Structures are given as C-alpha cells and as structure tokens.
Amino acid sequence: MCGIVGYMGSQEASQVIMNGLKMLEYRGYDSAGICTMDLGDVEIRRSSGKLVNLERLLNEQPLHGTIGIGHTRWATHGKPSVANAHPHKGGAVVVVHNGIIENYLALKEELTSRGHTFLSETDSEVVSHLIDENLKTATSLEEAVRRALKDLQGAYALCILSQMDDKTLIAAKSGSPMVVGIKGDEYFVASDMPAIISNTREMVIMEDGEMAVFRNGGVKFSTLGGEEIIKTPRYIDWSPLMAEKNGYPNFMLKEIHEQPRSIKNVIAGRLHVDEGDVFFEGLELDDSALRAFERLCLVACGTSWHAALAGKYMIEEYCRIPVDVEIASEFRYRDPMVSKKTLVIPISQSGETADTLAALREAKSRGAHIVSICNVVDSSIARESDGVIYTHAGLEIGVASTKAFTTQLVALYMLAIRLGRANGIIDLGKGQEMIAALGRLPALVEKTLELDPQIEEVACEYLTCWDAIYLGRGISYPIALEGALKLKEISYIHADGYPAGEMKHGPIALIDREMPVFILAPNDKHLVKVRSNMEEVITRGGRVVAFCSEGDLETGKRAEFALQIPWGGEALSTVLFAVALQLLAYNFAILKGKDVDQPRNLAKSVTVE
Ligand code: F6R
C-alpha cells in the first residue's frame, strides 16, 4: 500500500531516498516525507500531494546526512494531510510504517496516559511513541525496538531512526513486504524492489518476524526475539518494470495474488472473537441506531454492484433485514423510495464513480443515513458519507477489479455479522462461528490460487469460443455475473451470467457445441437443483465446466472439466469462487494476447455520468 525507502551509506541520504520514492510514484500516492540524521540531529520534511511537492520543499529546505528514511503514503487510517504523512516522530524516535497496527487505539490511550502527545490520526505514529517509551529503560535502540514490537498487533514493515543513536538504522517486518539491498558498505531498505533496483541487484528478502540492524557499515539480521540469522543476498535479474510488478507479468495477476493479504487487511483489528462481533472504526452507529433502520439500500456500479447483490443474500439471510440493491446510474432518475429509516450503503472501490456519488447525494437529500464501503481513503464518496467502512485492499491498478471485489464481499459479510448481532438474530455462538470462518479465509484463497494450472487448461480448451454462459444459484448468482463481466472486459468474449434456474426460461436455446457453460456448484443448499440444471445443459449437448466444492467428486462427473474449489462456508465461498473465475478470465485474456491491465475502452475510475 505505502512505499518505504531507507538508506545508510556515504551519499546524501535524502537524494537516494527521493530517487527511490520516485520509482514508486506510479502507484499514485497522497503524501510523502523524508527524515535524515546529521550529527545527531534528525530533520523531517513532509508534504501532501504528489512527490513533486516534497521535492520542491527539499529544494527550499535541503536535508543533509548519510542515514535516512522516507515514505510515500496511501492513506488507510487518517485522511491525506501533512500531519498524517510519514515519517512520524514520537519523542526521540522517528518511524516510517507500511501496514496496519490493529491495536493502535489501545496503545495510544496507554501512551497518552504516560504523557505522550499525538499529532496525527494515524495508527503508525503509535509505533514511534511506543519505541520512545521503551527507550527510557532500554540499553539500546535495538532493545527498545524489540520490546516495542512485542506489543504490536497487526502488520508492519518499519524503518526506524533515533536521535539518541545517530549511527543506527533499524528495519523490521511482519506481514508487509521489505527488502534490503547491499552494495559494498552501502545499504538500501525498501518495501518494493523498484525503489532500489537501480542502486543494486544484490538483495536480501526479509521474512516475517525478522529485523535488520544497520550500524557502522554493517548489517546484522536477527529474529524479533534477538536470535542472529545469516541471510545471503541473492542477485535479482528482473527488469525495473518486472520489479514494479513484483515479478508478475502485469498488475492484474499481482493483484489477484495479493488477495490473501488484502483479505487479512480488511479483517485486521475488526474482529471481536469473544463477543462474536465485528467492530468498524468508521461506522459510528450503535446497536439501537442500527435496529432503527427498516431497510437497507445498497447502491453501486459494475463489479461493486455484484458485491452489493451478494451482500443482499448475506444480510437478508443472517439478519432478516430487507435489502434493496440498486444500480447507481438508475437510482437517481426514478424518484427512489428512501427515507430516514433507510440505511443507504454506496459501494465503490475508487470512491469517485460519478453515478454512485450522485446516488449518494440523492439519498442524502431524502434524509437517508449513508455508510459507504470504499477502498480509497478520503475519496469523494467516503467524505460525503456519514460513516465509512474501508476495505483496505490496497491500491488497485489493474482496470479489472479483483482484490477490491473480494474485500467488498468480506466487508459485507462482516457488516452482516454486525447488523445481526445488533438485532439479536445472530447469537453469540453463531457470531463466533462466522468470525472463525473469516480467520480461515486467507489460507483458502491461497489454496484456490494453486488451481491456476488447471484453470489455464480450461481456458486453452475453449479459447476459440465467442460466447460463454455462467450459471449460479443463490449467492453464487452474483458471482456468476462477476465471472461473466471479468471475461467480457479483459478477453472481449461475450459472456452472460444467469441464475441457473432461469436457463429454461430462454437462455437454454443458446446451448450448442461452441459455447462453454461455466456452472458454479458449491456444496450449499442449492446443490441438488444446480446438478439438475447441469443435466439440462448436458442433455442438450452443452459443454459444461463445473466449479464444485473440494471433496465433491460427484457433481462434476458428467462435465468436461470439474474444478474443486476449497469450501469456506456458504457465504465466504463466494470469495473463493470469485478468485477462480478471475483466474479463468485472466487466462483467456492472456492466451488471446490481450492487455489485461488496460482493456480497450475502459477506465479505472468512471468520473463521468
Ligand atoms: C470491473 C470494474 C468496474 C467497477 C465500476 C465501479 O472490473 O472494475 O465495473 O466496479 O466501474 O467502480 P467503483 O467500484 O470504483 O465505484
């Protein structure tokens, strides 16, 4: 999400760091900052907006010193502003951070009671104060860092400096990426290889739970517990472009593979296991306020609308609250029936989609309470909402939405838990069971990604088709729609999604030997009916690919291909089926030689009506 660069050597650190940050700017950040250390003094420059603003500031007020850390921020907690830009300084300690500190509110409270003053709204600032607090009793910066890290929950990649020790730079990692570049006695640290690959190709990839201490022209790697580890640099022969994509051939595949992490992020810090409940920092509605809504209205476009449709199934099933799902571009032109008793939920990755924003304003003007589900922090939709649930998927560059979609599904599932706990339909046991299923999800996504070779085989088999049909029942129907949209937009093959039971009311006339029928057949309450729908297609000579649940060897027996998707429970299996369908569309498009990151005629954020 954010970019980190650190340097220790003989050059002006600010220059090396600025060059590194520039290599990460293609990711589009909202603020940036650098700190260097010179003769025991730490100095910081920060600015909001693009890097050019920071560069201008550095020209006016240069930074000197051969040790430094820098950061470009993509906001997660706290709006984009100078105060929220990194580096953050707490007492004598300066940090840049990538990731999410889940327990930052509790730590902040504790540190405030010990006299620390916080200047930002970020979760990251807490790390600098926590290390500073430990520095009071520790014998070294290294020890203070080790102690502080024990108290952190969540994910982090950190670079740390202290004015009490002007010869040391520390990097630590747990859950967010970090690499160390080595060139003689010069050391480069970065969240992403492109930031430092022009300086050196000798890199050490840090693993979770590791720390690197740079001092006196050397580096020592150790576990967070203090046990020394020997790490050998490896030569990275990627081109700078490959490095931007972390070795993936394009952003879409990179983002598909980022989903285990983005799902961990959307969950992070929000699950109250003991209470079987979910806490959303931006919801700002207590149980009685939630109970007062008579209905919900989810409004969105495209892929986000598909997430909304799946959300309807989840919320109505688990919370017994009526949910309407609206296409944003239709909503505002038909005198929509919303009132103070309606909770309106716009869903948007970018937070800038013009139709969704217009729908939000329309609903607001009719007195509805607005809680949006957004990925981009402080976007227009987020700013104009009464509350926001951020999906924390990280920056999505590929035009076809992937990780934003699956994190929307997870956010809606968590919202269903919150609403169901508030109105008592979900009891403690059920809430705990639903939360446990969430905890298992990232690993199941990893497992689904391993199906790629089999999915590629399917794409090869049907590569010459002009049309495809996706079928699903119940909550799999919106996933069928999403699968069809993914295929259309990146491979330009015409595709439609239908509720499987609708086939006999018309689309079945299309069945022939040319058109594959992709059938979603998870092991849920619809399975028997879906099997019958599959038979209807097969007996008319249709070519079926069955996406079944792991362990179900029966359903796909008569299909041309049967894929076994891990089972994540009825609602969360949507995420796993969606991942498989993303890979299917991706393989079709790549085999056809299409540009998956920038499909023709499409834009990432549709800011016109
Ligand atoms: C498809 C896709 C689009 C978006 C739609 C809404 O892959 O990305 O259909 O989902 O344009 O965009 P957001 O979610 O930014 O409002």
Side-chain angles (χ1 to χ4, degrees), residues 422-434:
N423 71 10
I425 305 272
I426 297 179
D427 64 18
L428 176 65
K430 176 75 183 165
Q432 287 175 331
E433 191 187 298
M434 290 176 77

Side-chain angles (χ1 to χ4, degrees), residues 323-396:
V323 179
D324 296 321
V325 178
E326 301 274 356
I327 289 184
S329 55
E330 296 287 321
F331 179 78
R332 65 184 293 219
Y333 294 110
R334 52 170 201 78
D335 203 2
M337 291 177 57
V338 294
S339 70
K340 278 202 216 66
K341 301 252 164 132
T342 319
L343 176 60
V344 171
I345 306 186
I347 305 177
S348 174
Q349 185 286 128
S350 61
E352 302 296 343
T353 300
D355 287 320
T356 311
L357 186 58
L360 178 160
R361 289 176 179 156
E362 183 65 37
K364 209 171 184 181
S365 73
R366 288 163 190 257
H369 189 89
I370 315 285
V371 173
S372 56
I373 296 182
C374 270
N375 192 36
V376 178
V377 172
D378 220 32
S379 52
S380 303
I381 290 173
R383 282 199 313 273
E384 295 194 27
S385 301
D386 300 305
V388 194
I389 295 172
Y390 284 117
T391 48
H392 298 317
L395 189 71
E396 195 176 63

Side-chain angles (χ1 to χ4, degrees), residues 10-285:
S10 48
Q11 306 180 52
E12 279 289 10
S14 64
Q15 197 49 54
V16 177
I17 293 167
M18 181 51 103
N19 291 342
L21 295 179
K22 278 183 189 162
M23 293 308 296
L24 304 178
E25 207 188 12
Y26 67 96
R27 295 155 49 148
Y29 290 96
D30 56 55
S31 57
I34 293 180
C35 169
T36 59
M37 222 161 26
D38 193 21
L39 304 172
D41 267 353
V42 296
E43 282 216 61
I44 299 176
R45 305 281 182 269
R46 300 185 296 178
S47 69
S48 60
K50 295 199 166 183
L51 261 187
V52 60
N53 297 346
L54 179 63
E55 200 166 26
R56 215 173 283 134
L57 183 65
L58 283 168
N59 285 337
E60 289 160 13
Q61 302 168 37
L63 282 177
H64 298 293
T66 55
I67 304 184
I69 56 181
H71 188 268
T72 50
R73 177 167 187 257
W74 199 74
T76 57
H77 291 71
K79 61 184 174 300
S81 65
V82 174
N84 288 336
H86 300 221
H88 290 290
K89 185 165 184 286
V93 176
V94 185
V95 302
V96 291
H97 165 231
N98 193 1
I100 295 176
I101 304 300
E102 293 171 16
N103 57 337
Y104 82 102
L105 283 175
L107 290 170
K108 195 169 176 175
E109 213 170 287
E110 161 78 18
L111 289 159
T112 305
S113 74
R114 289 172 184 260
H116 289 259
T117 306
F118 286 81
L119 302 174
S120 78
E121 302 158 325
T122 66
D123 53 331
S124 308
E125 189 186 354
V126 88
V127 183
S128 58
H129 289 277
L130 187 62
I131 298 171
D132 184 62
E133 183 62 26
N134 279 284
L135 209 47
K136 290 180 186 160
T137 50
T139 53
S140 66
L141 175 62
E142 184 178 336
E143 188 191 329
V145 171
R146 279 188 208 289
R147 281 205 220 152
L149 295 185
K150 281 202 192 100
D151 290 335
L152 296 184
Q153 288 165 16
Y156 57 77
L158 290 162
C159 275
I160 303 149
L161 296 176
S162 164
Q163 62 193 28
M164 309 298 278
D165 180 352
D166 65 356
K167 304 250 175 312
T168 303
L169 165 65
I170 296 182
K173 163 187 157 59
S174 177
S176 295
M178 179 143 272
V179 292
V180 172
I182 302 176
K183 185 181 171 193
D185 53 9
E186 274 188 299
Y187 295 94
F188 307 82
V189 188
S191 52
D192 308 78
M193 284 183 196
I196 56 176
I197 205 161
S198 62
N199 297 293
T200 178
R201 283 171 178 271
E202 296 292 332
M203 307 246 188
V204 172
I205 317 259
M206 288 180 66
E207 302 297 336
D208 283 349
E210 291 182 355
M211 202 163 126
V213 180
F214 305 88
R215 186 184 293 137
N216 299 331
V219 60
K220 185 183 85 183
F221 291 97
S222 57
T223 63
L224 296 183
E227 204 177 306
E228 197 161 338
I229 27 183
I230 307 296
K231 291 188 75 85
T232 318
R234 61 181 246 229
Y235 183 82
I236 301 293
D237 58 3
W238 294 348
S239 69
L241 198 67
M242 276 169 79
E244 266 180 20
K245 294 168 185 157
N246 207 11
Y248 289 101
N250 47 59
F251 286 109
M252 184 178 178
L253 192 62
K254 174 174 181 269
E255 287 160 6
I256 288 175
H257 281 264
E258 275 169 1
Q259 290 177 109
R261 160 100 345 250
S262 54
I263 288 167
K264 281 185 191 158
N265 284 346
V266 63
I267 300 170
R270 288 170 164 170
L271 304 185
H272 287 200
V273 181
D274 293 345
E275 289 141 59
D277 207 342
V278 170
F279 165 78
F280 290 114
E281 60 287 356
L283 184 60
E284 284 158 25
L285 288 169

Side-chain angles (χ1 to χ4, degrees), residues 317-561:
E317 167 143 4
Y318 294 124
C319 320
R320 310 307 299 151
I321 306 169
V323 179
D324 296 321
V325 178
E326 301 274 356
I327 289 184
S329 55
E330 296 287 321
F331 179 78
R332 65 184 293 219
Y333 294 110
R334 52 170 201 78
D335 203 2
M337 291 177 57
V338 294
S339 70
K340 278 202 216 66
K341 301 252 164 132
T342 319
L343 176 60
V344 171
I345 306 186
I347 305 177
S348 174
Q349 185 286 128
S350 61
E352 302 296 343
T353 300
D355 287 320
T356 311
L357 186 58
L360 178 160
R361 289 176 179 156
E362 183 65 37
K364 209 171 184 181
S365 73
R366 288 163 190 257
H369 189 89
I370 315 285
V371 173
S372 56
I373 296 182
C374 270
N375 192 36
V376 178
V377 172
D378 220 32
S379 52
S380 303
I381 290 173
R383 282 199 313 273
E384 295 194 27
S385 301
D386 300 305
V388 194
I389 295 172
Y390 284 117
T391 48
H392 298 317
L395 189 71
E396 195 176 63
I397 294 178
V399 163
S401 189
T402 51
K403 60 179 182 167
F405 176 65
T406 47
T407 52
Q408 286 168 348
L409 293 176
V410 173
L412 284 158
Y413 177 86
M414 291 197 293
L415 180 63
I417 299 178
R418 181 73 280 278
L419 291 166
R421 291 295 285 138
N423 71 10
I425 305 272
I426 297 179
D427 64 18
L428 176 65
K430 176 75 183 165
Q432 287 175 331
E433 191 187 298
M434 290 176 77
I435 283 178
L438 270 175
R440 292 189 290 269
L441 190 61
L444 296 178
V445 174
E446 295 275 11
K447 216 167 159 202
T448 308
L449 291 169
E450 288 167 15
L451 294 173
D452 190 41
Q454 290 173 54
I455 293 176
E456 187 184 359
E457 238 181 276
V458 174
C460 275
E461 176 68 23
Y462 304 103
L463 198 58
T464 54
C465 74
W466 287 98
D467 300 283
I469 283 190
Y470 288 69
L471 300 179
R473 268 182 184 256
I475 199 167
S476 294
Y477 162 53
I479 306 307
L481 289 176
E482 174 60 7
L485 177 61
K486 284 286 93 81
L487 188 69
K488 273 187 272 219
E489 62 183 341
I490 60 170
S491 74
Y492 316 144
I493 297 170
H494 170 252
D496 274 325
Y498 287 103
E502 270 293 292
M503 275 300 276
K504 51 190 171 296
H505 299 287
I508 204 160
L510 292 169
I511 299 299
D512 62 16
R513 295 300 298 160
E514 307 299 321
M515 182 185 69
V517 181
F518 301 119
I519 302 189
L520 308 189
N523 195 2
D524 61 17
K525 56 180 171 280
H526 304 286
L527 183 59
V528 177
K529 298 280 178 211
V530 172
R531 281 186 185 164
S532 311
N533 300 135
M534 198 179 298
E535 279 307 312
E536 288 160 13
V537 175
I538 292 171
T539 49
R540 283 160 184 83
R543 306 186 68 187
V544 167
V545 178
F547 290 78
C548 312
S549 289
E550 203 170 52
D552 174 8
L553 301 176
E554 196 51 42
T555 301
K557 261 190 176 159
R558 298 228 301 135
E560 291 190 359
F561 288 88

